Amino acid sequence: MNKQQRFEHILGWFEANMPVAESELVYSNPYELLVAVMLSAQCTDKRVNMVTPALFEAYPTPEALAAATSDEVFEYVKSVSYPRSKAEHLVEMAQRLVNVYDSQVPDNIEDLQTLQGVGRKTANVVCAVIWNQPTMAVDTHIFRVSERIGLTTRSKNPLQTEKQLVRYIPEEVIPKAHHWLLLHGRYVCQARKPRCEECGIKEYCRFYGKNEKK
């Protein structure tokens, strides 16, 4: 099976078996999603969803967050990973959002990455989820799963993974494919012990195929 065929089979299976694939982060507008994605770096969505209700109640708008101190924000996010730096980034992000972008979350990767604490992955998530743009956000799950199942080859960093994935995935499918791979890595193709016995794409998987031959 060549790479193109593997992509077609795997994407076809996901389309048939997971037609609805969405972010597990809870949000109600672009500002809330941006904040939630920033908090989710090296942290679980479940933990972020426990933190954001009180955070959004205290700071419902970019203006409210921009007027806060990082120490004040820290009290709301102290249970997530790296809370000190994230609190600082959130306040600085909100200040730039208000002062430079009239409190509107940018709709492109370049402008999003000018916000403090927003890297390429976060920018890609926002563009894909909010505006359905063909941007592929590569987190630790997607980086690992893509290589394991054979969609990517010898990727050394998330950007290399991103470029290989968008080369073979149709543009209109890319936003959904991000969630397919992320959720697959989170619940089935887990890092320490992949649950191959219940995996629907195992017949197309490079990792499973190699183990079967052994």
Side-chain angles (χ1 to χ4, degrees):
M1 181 186 307
N2 62 36
K3 182 172 286 191
Q4 182 66 52
Q5 292 171 326
R6 178 172 278 117
F7 267 89
E8 291 174 355
H9 285 307
I10 290 176
L11 294 177
W13 186 90
F14 279 124
E15 187 65 67
N17 293 275
M18 197 187 298
V20 177
E22 301 173 334
S23 173
E24 294 186 317
L25 293 170
V26 178
Y27 66 96
S28 59
N29 55 55
Y31 157 70
E32 290 187 357
L33 177 66
L34 176 57
V35 170
V37 177
M38 290 175 66
L39 289 173
S40 71
Q42 300 184 50
C43 186
T44 66
D45 288 359
K46 182 178 179 180
R47 169 57 57 183
V48 173
N49 289 336
M50 294 170 65
V51 166
T52 50
L55 180 67
F56 293 151
E57 183 177 358
Y59 310 109
T61 64
E63 291 86 354
L65 184 57
T69 67
S70 61
D71 286 340
E72 292 170 337
V73 175
F74 172 80
E75 292 303 315
Y76 291 92
V77 303
K78 59 186 177 183
S79 66
V80 304
S81 58
Y82 308 105
R84 284 290 178 190
S85 61
K86 286 181 179 179
E88 293 175 0
H89 290 165
L90 286 174
V91 172
E92 293 175 9
M93 175 277 292
Q95 290 171 346
R96 183 170 176 81
L97 205 59
V98 171
N99 296 328
V100 179
Y101 298 106
D102 297 323
S103 301
Q104 301 300 307
V105 175
D107 62 356
N108 63 86
I109 293 173
E110 291 73 23
D111 287 344
L112 280 165
Q113 288 186 97
T114 69
L115 300 172
Q116 186 67 29
V118 177
R120 186 175 182 86
K121 188 210 80 172
T122 297
N124 279 342
V125 171
V126 172
C127 285
V129 173
I130 298 297
W131 292 286
N132 200 39
Q133 294 178 9
T135 55
M136 173 58 72
V138 177
D139 67 355
T140 54
H141 290 300
I142 294 175
F143 182 80
R144 169 177 52 78
V145 168
S146 298
E147 190 75 15
R148 178 184 275 170
I149 66 179
L151 295 183
T152 60
T153 305
R154 294 187 293 276
S155 289
K156 296 180 180 179
N157 54 60
L159 183 58
Q160 288 185 2
T161 296
E162 177 186 335
K163 289 181 176 179
Q164 289 191 54
L165 291 175
V166 299
R167 178 182 176 186
Y168 288 94
I169 301 176
E171 281 194 359
E172 66 275 12
V173 179
I174 289 174
K176 190 184 293 186
H178 160 76
H179 296 300
W180 284 337
L181 294 173
L182 187 155
L183 295 172
H184 190 67
R186 184 174 292 169
Y187 297 113
V188 181
C189 195
Q190 297 171 335
R192 294 184 179 180
K193 188 176 180 181
R195 304 165 71 174
C196 296
E197 68 283 353
E198 58 187 77
C199 177
I201 63 171
K202 61 186 177 184
E203 62 182 296
Y204 318 120
C205 173
R206 181 173 61 194
F207 173 82
Y208 184 79
K210 287 182 178 179
N211 284 347
E212 280 293 284
K213 289 180 181 179
K214 292 179 182 178

